Amino acid sequence: MAPLTKKAFASAPSAGLLEPVCFSSHEECSQRGSFVAAAALSAGILLGTCRITSCEQQKQANAVKPNLFSIDSNSTNVGINAVSSAPRDPMTVYAKIAIKREIEKTETSPEPVAQATSPKAAVGAATEAAEVVSSKYINEMTANELLIEEATRKAKQHSGGLKLFSGNGNMALSLEIARHLGINLGRATVGKFADGEANVVIHENVRGKDVYVVQPTCPPVNDNIMELLLMVSTLRRASARRITVVIPYYGYARQDRKMQARVPISAADVARLMEAMGIDRVIAVDLHCGQIQGFFGPRVPVDNLDGGIVGLDYFGSKDLYNPVVVSPDAGGVYRAKKFKEGLSQKYDVQDIGLAMIVKQRARAGSVDQMDLVGDVNGCDCILVDDMIDTAGTLCKAADVLVANGARRVFAFASHGLLSGPGNDRIANSKMEEVVILNTIPTSPQRNANEKLTELSVAPLLAQAIFNIHAKKSISALFK
């Protein structure tokens, strides 16, 4: 039998392959194989141990002591083997001030804070608080931080969170509202192009601002509505945070339902137009009917301010004898009742009467017959309505009251449109005085009418804007 020959190869640690080894017999091969296997196993264990030891040494070599890194206070470079006594405090000066304020609040008893209830009070409180804070913490800021704080204060002063803009509907009322709020009217161009199209340009930054647009939709109704819609669209595209439209007089309000076939509900259509442009809130004064608030969606709240509270003080100061509040139609009984209750509560008058006139219209703007419900004999009567258009209904109602023995007849309305012959009818009527609000811009003819008295609704609107901006109650204005 031929001798069995096998070749074994072993690898040296640093050299290449060894010379081949020949075995003369099978037994010798087995013995040598066992020896080689044992040697290889020992070498593998030794090699693995060496590798583990080498890895541990490498980790220790790469490890860096914590105090070898430091940040130079005068440089932004990070160096190795630099000497540092302590790491820099990561908190800014503003964070330290905030923490210090919280600690002072917990250590000391809380002081009563006076809340602002009017625009002027808010400005005074903010100024006083700013002076206290600046004087208290000015020594804890560096020169650069003081410069940043001063620039921030100036930016907030000139571009606060509230912006007030106005269209061409009633600029005088808008300026009066801005004066009561203590702010400037926003800079904007609202005009017309050569072909009659509306031209709207906003010249101020309104990004993230709480914007209020004052625009009554009085005559010219369509032009004012288009200006309002385009102003809202412009402000929405300019990233205003919230847009509130202040509509002292809501046009198309009398078309609030279908009285006959094939007619529009214009009050609802105008509301949908405004909502489609992206308004967030509506402030109105004495809507013709309360259901107009429901024409806007639930995402657009409507604040219907009662203009009658402006006239309460005026008539409360008059020497009235047996006063009776009269509604010129059946739909205004609730409004007349609120006016009567306001006079009774505010001036503690318990003998104020309530009457109503039932009218039958032959057509729009023409009254066929009027009947009185109530007793007005020897009394001073106050006709209360939401608007006076052509004054035909009002003057005929005054004639009915005088015919039934009324001593004197006054009238109060929130909106004095006085279209067509309205101003002349009032001047030649049997009424002593007609009181209206300035929700609609006045005219020289109205100023010349001695029986016409105009009160300002600007304080009421300014207080409503301030309460909404400050997240305060609106209903508190009417208590």
Side-chain angles (χ1 to χ4, degrees):
M1 184 175 182
L4 181 62
T5 305
K6 289 186 178 180
K7 295 181 179 180
F9 299 90
S11 2
S14 58
L17 294 175
L18 299 177
E19 294 294 332
V21 180
C22 298
F23 301 102
S24 59
S25 65
H26 182 72
E27 292 79 4
E28 184 180 1
C29 178
S30 300
Q31 294 175 0
R32 295 288 183 90
S34 301
F35 174 76
V36 171
L41 181 61
S42 302
I45 294 173
L46 181 60
L47 182 60
T49 306
C50 292
R51 287 182 178 178
I52 292 173
T53 306
S54 177
C55 290
E56 293 295 333
Q57 294 176 354
Q58 186 68 24
K59 288 181 180 179
Q60 294 177 2
N62 292 336
V64 181
K65 296 181 180 181
N67 59 357
L68 293 180
F69 284 92
S70 65
I71 301 177
D72 189 1
S73 60
N74 297 324
S75 174
T76 57
N77 298 326
V78 179
I80 302 178
N81 297 330
V83 180
S84 174
S85 58
R88 186 177 179 181
D89 191 354
M91 288 196 302
T92 61
V93 176
Y94 302 103
K96 292 179 182 178
I97 293 175
I99 294 175
K100 186 175 181 180
R101 289 178 185 173
E102 293 297 330
I103 294 174
E104 290 177 353
K105 286 181 180 179
T106 55
E107 290 179 353
T108 60
S109 59
E111 298 179 357
V113 180
Q115 295 185 355
T117 57
S118 64
K120 294 183 179 179
V123 174
T127 305
E128 183 179 356
E131 291 177 355
V132 171
V133 172
S134 60
S135 62
K136 191 172 183 180
Y137 300 103
I138 191 170
N139 296 328
E140 300 184 16
M141 296 184 182
T142 63
N144 292 333
E145 289 169 344
L146 285 174
L147 291 176
I148 295 174
E149 186 69 19
E150 182 66 17
T152 305
R153 187 186 63 80
K154 288 183 178 180
K156 289 181 178 180
Q157 180 181 359
H158 293 285
S159 61
L162 188 148
K163 293 286 186 180
L164 184 67
F165 292 91
S166 174
N168 294 319
N170 197 341
M171 185 63 68
L173 177 61
S174 303
L175 291 171
E176 192 174 354
I177 293 173
R179 186 170 68 251
H180 281 281
L181 288 172
I183 61 176
N184 294 327
L185 201 62
R187 293 182 292 110
T189 297
V190 183
K192 291 184 178 181
F193 290 106
D195 57 353
E197 296 177 356
N199 176 26
V200 176
V201 182
I202 304 297
H203 300 291
E204 293 189 13
N205 177 29
V206 295
R207 184 179 299 275
K209 308 297 183 186
D210 190 9
V211 182
Y212 295 82
V213 182
V214 182
Q215 177 77 336
T217 53
C218 54
V221 182
N222 297 331
D223 292 344
N224 289 333
I225 288 178
M226 185 56 64
E227 287 182 2
L228 178 61
L229 295 178
L230 293 182
M231 289 185 72
V232 171
S233 175
T234 304
L235 294 169
R236 178 58 64 195
R237 296 174 190 272
S239 303
R241 180 176 61 89
R242 185 175 64 176
I243 301 174
T244 302
V245 291
V246 182
I247 310 177
Y249 171 73
Y250 188 92
Y252 288 104
R254 285 173 283 185
Q255 302 182 39
D256 57 346
R257 60 191 182 277
K258 291 183 67 173
M259 298 297 295
Q260 59 185 12
R262 297 177 296 279
V263 294
I265 305 178
S266 304
D269 297 334
V270 172
R272 291 175 65 87
L273 284 172
M274 295 181 188
E275 193 171 0
M277 286 295 101
I279 63 174
D280 296 302
R281 196 180 191 97
V282 177
I283 301 176
V285 178
D286 270 337
L287 293 172
H288 184 66
C289 49
Q291 63 262 31
I292 294 178
Q293 301 176 67
F295 294 157
F296 294 88
R299 297 183 179 179
V300 182
V302 179
D303 295 309
N304 185 23
L305 305 183
D306 183 12
I309 65 172
V310 181
L312 288 179
D313 294 333
Y314 184 81
F315 284 100
S317 61
K318 285 184 172 294
D319 186 15
L320 300 177
Y321 178 78
N322 291 336
V324 176
V325 179
V326 183
S327 173
D329 54 16
V333 173
Y334 177 71
R335 184 181 299 106
K337 184 173 178 290
K338 285 182 63 178
F339 194 87
K340 167 187 172 295
E341 292 174 351
L343 281 176
S344 300
Q345 294 175 3
K346 194 167 186 179
Y347 295 96
D348 196 20
V349 181
Q350 303 299 329
D351 57 347
I352 300 179
L354 182 65
M356 177 185 66
I357 292 179
V358 180
K359 62 183 179 181
Q360 299 178 7
R361 289 186 179 272
R363 59 183 182 277
S366 176
V367 178
D368 187 21
Q369 182 180 351
M370 304 186 76
D371 299 320
L372 175 64
V373 179
D375 184 18
V376 296
N377 188 18
C379 301
D380 289 340
C381 299
I382 305 175
L383 284 164
V384 177
D385 205 354
D386 64 318
M387 69 175 67
I388 302 173
D389 190 3
T390 59
T393 301
L394 195 68
C395 293
K396 286 188 177 181
D399 295 340
V400 171
L401 294 176
V402 172
N404 283 270
R407 181 170 175 262
R408 289 186 300 176
V409 178
F410 300 91
F412 172 78
S414 298
H415 314 295
L417 293 172
L418 303 184
S419 305
N423 190 46
D424 295 334
R425 286 177 177 175
I426 291 177
N428 300 324
S429 67
K430 297 179 180 180
M431 291 181 288
E432 294 281 332
E433 186 180 14
V434 176
V435 181
I436 60 176
L437 304 181
N438 61 343
T439 57
I440 296 173
T442 186
S443 63
Q445 292 78 14
R446 293 166 61 174
N447 293 332
N449 192 343
E450 296 180 355
K451 289 187 177 182
L452 204 60
T453 301
E454 189 175 82
L455 305 179
S456 177
V457 75
L460 176 63
L461 290 174
Q463 189 66 51
I465 291 173
F466 174 79
N467 284 16
I468 292 174
H469 181 67
K471 298 180 177 61
K472 295 181 178 293
S473 174
I474 294 294
S475 60
L477 299 176
F478 309 104
K479 293 181 180 179

